[in-house]
Amino acid sequence: MKITDIYYLNSRGEKLNLLSPPYQLQTANLFDYSWDYSSIARRRRGQITAFAKGITAFTLLLGVNGYSERLYRDAIDRFYEVVEYDLLNLTSGRLYVGEFYVNCYIKSSKKTDWEWGIETLDNEIEVIVDYPYWCREKEYHFYMSPQSVIDEGIKDGNNSIIYFALLEQDYKHDYPRKYQTRYRPAKKRYLRDYKYDYYHNHQLARLDNDHFVESGFKMTIYGPCTEPKIWIGDHLYHVAVTLYDSEYLVIDSRERTIVRYARNGVQENCFGKRDNKNYVFQKIPPGKSAVKWNATYSFDLTLYQERSEPPWK
């Protein structure tokens, strides 16, 4: 296996590259993991009922080398200051292996094989993680528009999604039986309701979650809009909130929070305004999904693709 990028990024954006001088990672157990389990006793055997993970620790052996005594001492001091900042402020940093990271703290440092006047030592550090899942973030952007412009290369795939997508009644003058109409040129597709509607109230896009299991997410919806409703596949994400210009709403499935950010910087907890009939923190399924919403506002979607170990490829 060839790893080309392993680094630590603290909570204020300071980076320590662990594969480039003056730091050189020698060994680590970053690819090891373990699940805890719950069980109940049956008459003749036990039965596992759930799996979970607790706080996990990784051990890294890091070489520190300097071309001069000054650079050597600066490297040791900088490493300490970058990682200690997170611990003292209780703001986790991130340990990256390629595109994947874990939020973590570096809790200990044990220095060996060093002598005065020789600019090298080994530094064994212990990393603790309270959410031991390696995560890659994938970002998608969906823009406000009266129509969906489809790239010619994905036209056939979107045609299939459009054909099987369900349209819901979301305007009081909608005709109960909706239909879709398609227009030329071939690169454009329009979604309309009953012909006497006053606006084109559906836009369709495609989301491709290239992960092997469902993914948590962060959804950021930008105002102005009222009671935004977004369908991903056959699931509705809906919060009964009004957003004005320059305001936005953030739904975070991992933290289970819904927060409105006002223009004056005030944050409002909107958890109580979620749609109780449709689980607003429902994870995004793997594969391709149709995305449908009222095209009068924009939103961003960040997927949290999680694994127990970083990928080896």
Side-chain angles (χ1 to χ4, degrees):
M1 178 184 61
K2 183 179 180 181
I3 301 174
T4 59
D5 208 7
I6 299 179
Y7 60 93
Y8 180 84
L9 188 70
N10 78 355
S11 57
R12 57 180 177 183
E14 296 172 318
K15 181 178 178 180
L16 297 171
N17 190 334
L18 304 186
L19 294 181
S20 177
Y23 312 111
Q24 187 64 48
L25 182 63
Q26 299 178 26
T27 61
N29 61 340
L30 298 175
F31 294 87
D32 299 339
Y33 68 90
S34 177
W35 288 85
D36 299 325
Y37 64 90
S38 302
S39 64
I40 57 175
R42 294 295 188 185
R43 182 177 178 181
R44 301 184 62 181
R45 64 180 180 86
Q47 179 180 340
I48 296 175
T49 57
F51 287 96
K53 289 184 181 180
I55 294 176
T56 300
F58 299 113
T59 301
L60 288 72
L61 183 59
L62 189 69
V64 182
N65 302 280
Y67 297 107
S68 68
E69 185 176 351
R70 181 182 63 83
L71 293 176
Y72 171 63
R73 292 180 178 180
D74 287 348
I76 298 172
D77 288 341
R78 182 171 185 270
F79 186 91
Y80 163 78
E81 292 169 1
V82 169
V83 303
E84 192 81 351
Y85 176 86
D86 292 333
L87 191 146
L88 294 178
N89 289 279
L90 203 61
T91 54
S92 61
R94 289 182 174 182
L95 179 63
Y96 278 86
V97 176
E99 296 180 292
F100 286 79
Y101 70 86
V102 287
N103 293 316
C104 62
Y105 297 93
I106 294 179
K107 67 175 288 289
S108 67
S109 170
K110 182 180 179 181
K111 301 170 183 64
T112 58
D113 293 334
W114 65 278
E115 296 181 20
W116 192 263
I118 299 178
E119 290 78 34
T120 182
L121 61 77
D122 287 340
N123 187 9
E124 183 178 277
I125 60 175
E126 186 176 4
V127 179
I128 55 172
V129 183
D130 56 8
Y131 187 73
Y133 298 90
W134 293 89
C135 177
R136 175 176 63 182
E137 297 184 3
K138 297 291 291 291
E139 295 184 356
Y140 303 84
H141 307 282
F142 301 92
Y143 299 105
M144 175 180 64
S145 174
Q147 66 188 32
S148 177
V149 179
I150 299 174
D151 183 87
E152 188 71 25
I154 62 172
K155 180 180 64 176
D156 294 338
N158 274 21
N159 284 346
S160 177
I161 293 175
I162 291 172
Y163 180 80
F164 290 106
L166 297 177
L167 293 176
E168 301 292 337
Q169 186 171 351
D170 61 355
Y171 182 64
K172 64 182 180 179
H173 296 301
D174 281 352
Y175 192 72
R177 297 185 62 184
K178 299 189 177 185
Y179 64 94
Q180 303 172 3
T181 58
R182 302 180 181 183
Y183 296 88
R184 298 293 178 183
K187 290 186 179 181
K188 297 182 180 180
R189 295 291 184 269
Y190 294 81
L191 294 178
R192 292 190 178 187
D193 296 332
Y194 189 63
K195 63 182 180 181
Y196 296 112
D197 275 359
Y198 296 104
Y199 65 103
H200 302 174
N201 70 338
H202 287 102
Q203 177 163 322
L204 201 73
R206 184 174 72 178
L207 171 66
D208 189 359
N209 180 12
D210 58 345
H211 200 42
F212 69 102
V213 293
E214 60 185 6
S215 302
F217 67 90
K218 180 175 70 175
M219 182 183 294
T220 305
I221 303 172
Y222 301 97
C225 62
T226 300
E227 293 206 20
K229 295 180 179 180
I230 298 169
W231 284 264
I232 299 180
D234 58 359
H235 190 79
L236 171 64
Y237 298 84
H238 170 222
V239 181
V241 66
T242 296
L243 301 176
Y244 299 99
D245 191 25
S246 300
E247 296 184 342
Y248 60 97
L249 182 78
V250 176
I251 304 171
D252 193 317
S253 70
R254 289 199 301 191
E255 302 296 330
R256 290 177 52 83
T257 57
I258 307 172
V259 180
R260 171 179 168 264
Y261 293 83
R263 285 174 289 189
N264 58 4
V266 174
Q267 299 180 21
E268 177 189 358
N269 182 358
C270 296
F271 186 83
K273 298 182 180 181
R274 70 193 187 282
D275 187 337
N276 291 320
K277 295 182 179 179
N278 298 277
Y279 185 50
V280 75
F281 302 121
Q282 178 67 42
K283 292 185 176 183
I284 308 301
K288 297 179 176 62
S289 299
V291 180
K292 181 169 64 68
W293 80 105
N294 181 324
T296 59
Y297 57 89
S298 301
F299 69 97
D300 296 332
L301 186 68
T302 300
L303 297 187
Y304 299 127
Q305 300 179 335
E306 297 177 343
R307 306 167 50 96
S308 292
E309 64 178 33
W312 286 64
K313 58 184 178 182

